[in-house]
Amino acid sequence: MHKFLRSIGFGAYQKKKDVSRLLEDLEKGTGEHRRIQIDDDNNLCQIRAEVAPNMGVVIVGETDEDGIFRREYYYPYLTSNDISSQVECTIQRHTEKETFGGLLDETRVGISLIFYLDNGFEYLERKLDRASRKVKGVKLTGLSGEGKILLPLHKTRKQIEKAQVAAKDRSSLLEAARNGDEDAMETLTIEDIDMYSQISRRMMKEDIYSIVDSSFMPSGIECDQYTVIGEIVRVEEKVNRITKELVYDLTLNCNDMVFHVGIAKKNLLGEPVIGRRFKGQIWMQGVAVFEE
């Protein structure tokens, strides 16, 4: 069973036989069916079964000689209409199966951000048709198994403006350092030392979550999972049409980057309100927007 299936309202499905029965029902439903012929002997079929607006399960497999669909794998998904990043994006195929991962050199989060490509089927179609695969933007979303709501930090308008300028300056320095600028590297090193010193002093009297406004950190050994703390800028409620479970679609601003996170209401500790913060582990997905 997929670890993040409960993120879209299927928390009651704990056994493989129950999940298998669910997938069979979704295959027979009215979801979007797509098929491409990879070569003379192999094809790839995809079914996107929506259980709420922009949320559902993708089932991928192959059609045999008798026209019968044979499921190979599935995964839950959440999509959004917000462009999260427009930096250079690299896409590579996973070793195990016909799925793809994307990599963003996103200076705002300070790391190379890796995500699971949700529209890998479109990427494969473009590859077979020899169409452009250059990415002009990525719509990022995350699925979370459990999380909690943190209270916001009180900031004055002047502090907010100062933080925005500092973040922009740091992003420019990181870009320069990646291009080999030694002065930028030295400045970043000094800033990190000063920041470490300030945090160490404040930690003696303050709680860590009153110091760290937002964060974006890799979590575990899987490269597309992260632990995030981000400010909630929008809250949308969705109802799984099959289980009737309530799912929150939270729009987060994390390190100046905006993306969506889906989490079932029963797995979220606290009440999500605009201005408060979300903390949790997410599996990052993304839809690549290709140039025409």
Side-chain angles (χ1 to χ4, degrees):
M1 179 180 146
H2 199 286
K3 180 180 176 182
F4 292 96
L5 197 59
R6 63 176 178 165
S7 304
I8 62 169
F10 289 112
Y13 290 78
Q14 299 292 333
K15 297 180 180 179
K16 286 185 178 180
K17 63 179 182 180
D18 295 332
V19 174
S20 181
R21 200 157 41 235
L22 168 67
L23 295 175
E24 288 173 5
D25 292 339
L26 292 175
E27 289 169 17
K28 297 172 185 175
T30 56
E32 178 191 2
H33 291 63
R34 298 174 71 182
R35 180 179 183 275
I36 54 173
Q37 195 70 33
I38 297 175
D39 54 41
D40 292 340
D41 300 318
N42 298 300
N43 62 73
L44 193 68
C45 299
Q46 176 183 274
I47 301 170
R48 292 184 77 89
E50 196 172 76
V51 297
N54 297 326
M55 184 181 82
V57 179
V58 172
I59 306 168
V60 182
E62 188 176 24
T63 303
D64 63 17
E65 296 176 353
D66 299 322
I68 299 172
F69 177 74
R70 305 292 182 186
R71 181 175 65 248
E72 293 181 8
Y73 64 91
Y74 73 96
Y75 65 89
Y77 74 88
L78 175 72
T79 59
S80 81
N81 296 317
D82 300 324
I83 298 289
S84 303
S85 177
Q86 293 180 303
V87 302
E88 184 179 352
C89 178
T90 304
I91 296 174
Q92 288 190 359
R93 182 188 184 276
H94 292 141
T95 304
E96 183 186 359
K97 49 185 177 282
E98 204 72 49
T99 59
F100 301 87
L103 184 144
L104 295 167
D105 263 336
E106 187 54 77
T107 56
R108 288 176 293 178
V109 296
I111 58 173
S112 294
L113 194 156
I114 298 172
F115 63 92
Y116 185 96
L117 186 66
D118 183 32
N119 60 332
F121 200 87
E122 180 187 354
Y123 177 81
L124 188 57
E125 279 183 323
R126 285 177 168 271
K127 183 179 179 181
L128 294 172
D129 294 340
R130 300 183 184 278
S132 172
R133 286 172 282 157
K134 184 174 177 61
V135 180
K136 63 179 181 180
V138 178
K139 303 172 183 178
L140 292 173
T141 56
L143 293 178
S144 178
E146 58 181 14
K148 60 182 68 174
I149 299 298
L150 305 178
L151 292 174
L153 296 180
H154 177 69
K155 291 182 180 180
T156 63
R157 183 178 294 276
K158 187 176 181 180
Q159 286 175 319
I160 293 172
E161 291 174 354
K162 186 178 178 181
Q164 289 173 343
V165 171
K168 190 174 181 180
D169 291 344
R170 183 173 177 81
S171 181
S172 300
L173 285 170
L174 283 167
E175 190 64 35
R178 286 181 176 178
N179 294 327
D181 189 325
E182 292 185 4
D183 290 338
M185 294 180 194
E186 185 176 345
T187 302
L188 285 168
T189 302
I190 294 170
E191 284 184 358
D192 286 345
I193 293 171
D194 290 344
M195 185 182 296
Y196 178 79
S197 177
Q198 291 175 21
I199 291 173
S200 297
R201 288 197 301 270
R202 291 181 62 183
M203 279 283 290
M204 299 175 68
K205 297 180 180 179
E206 298 179 50
D207 182 82
I208 183 66
Y209 297 123
S210 67
I211 302 171
V212 179
D213 187 9
S214 66
S215 69
F216 198 100
M217 293 289 292
S219 177
I221 61 174
E222 293 188 59
C223 54
D224 52 9
Q225 293 190 24
Y226 303 90
T227 297
V228 301
I229 301 174
E231 181 185 352
I232 300 172
V233 296
R234 190 162 69 242
V235 179
E236 184 180 352
E237 295 183 354
K238 298 182 177 182
V239 179
N240 185 311
R241 62 177 174 83
I242 296 173
T243 63
K244 307 304 178 187
E245 275 192 50
L246 181 66
V247 176
Y248 288 122
D249 180 354
L250 307 176
T251 306
L252 301 185
N253 185 330
C254 182
N255 288 24
D256 227 17
M257 187 173 70
V258 175
F259 58 93
H260 289 239
V261 169
I263 182 171
K265 179 182 180 180
K266 67 179 183 180
N267 296 326
L268 181 64
L269 180 62
E271 186 69 24
V273 176
I274 294 173
R276 293 180 180 176
R277 293 177 293 166
F278 168 84
K279 176 182 180 292
Q281 182 181 340
I282 65 169
W283 173 45
M284 186 65 82
Q285 302 177 332
V287 173
V289 180
F290 299 102
E291 289 186 349
E292 296 301 328

